[in-house]
Amino acid sequence: MNQESNSPKRNWPIKRIIVITIVSILLIGGIFLYTNFNRLISDALVKSFNSGIASEVYELKFENLSVNPFTGTIQVYNVTMLPREKPLHVYPYINSAFQLKTERLILRDVELITLL
């Protein structure tokens, strides 16, 4: 006779099921946050720039952004700051313009929580 067929099935305790459920929810939330964190920081960086007075005359464009949340470092690639074709507000005393371009811009010691 088979002794395996006569042995009782092993039941999972409720505590183990709750712990596994909580860990899996945290893991899925962590993966979701990691995949969307750069997009959230990109949006926050653009909103932060647009809240300043320089955004009325200049516009900020960039292609890629990577964040290291442990050191508070943000690396922004292919950054361009150009004068707007039509400024949001005309400043008659501004009679010059500048254009900035860089391949990589590193922002150190950024307070990411404040930026978000």
Side-chain angles (χ1 to χ4, degrees), residues 53-58 84 86-94:
I53 195 165
S55 67
E56 294 182 3
V57 180
Y58 294 97
R84 292 186 183 268
K86 187 173 182 182
L88 299 176
H89 184 72
V90 178
Y91 294 101
Y93 50 86
I94 297 178

Side-chain angles (χ1 to χ4, degrees), residues 28-44:
I28 291 170
I31 291 170
F32 179 74
L33 182 65
Y34 177 74
T35 57
N36 290 318
F37 194 63
N38 286 345
R39 184 180 53 83
L40 290 172
I41 294 293
S42 295
D43 293 342

Side-chain angles (χ1 to χ4, degrees), residues 45 65 71-76 105-110 115:
L45 188 62
L65 181 134
T71 61
T73 304
I74 300 175
Q75 293 185 5
V76 189
L105 179 67
I106 299 174
L107 306 170
R108 291 196 169 107
D109 297 326
V110 177
L115 185 61

Side-chain angles (χ1 to χ4, degrees), residues 10-60:
R10 189 173 173 194
N11 292 333
W12 285 50
I14 298 296
K15 290 181 182 178
R16 183 179 288 175
I17 292 172
I18 291 172
V19 168
I20 289 174
T21 303
I22 291 172
V23 168
S24 62
I25 288 172
L26 289 174
L27 184 63
I28 291 170
I31 291 170
F32 179 74
L33 182 65
Y34 177 74
T35 57
N36 290 318
F37 194 63
N38 286 345
R39 184 180 53 83
L40 290 172
I41 294 293
S42 295
D43 293 342
L45 188 62
V46 169
K47 285 180 184 177
S48 176
F49 178 78
N50 287 339
S51 68
I53 195 165
S55 67
E56 294 182 3
V57 180
Y58 294 97
E59 61 183 335
L60 178 69

Side-chain angles (χ1 to χ4, degrees), residues 4-5 13 36 80 90-91 103 114:
E4 292 177 10
S5 64
N36 290 318
T80 307
V90 178
Y91 294 101
E103 290 181 16
T114 306

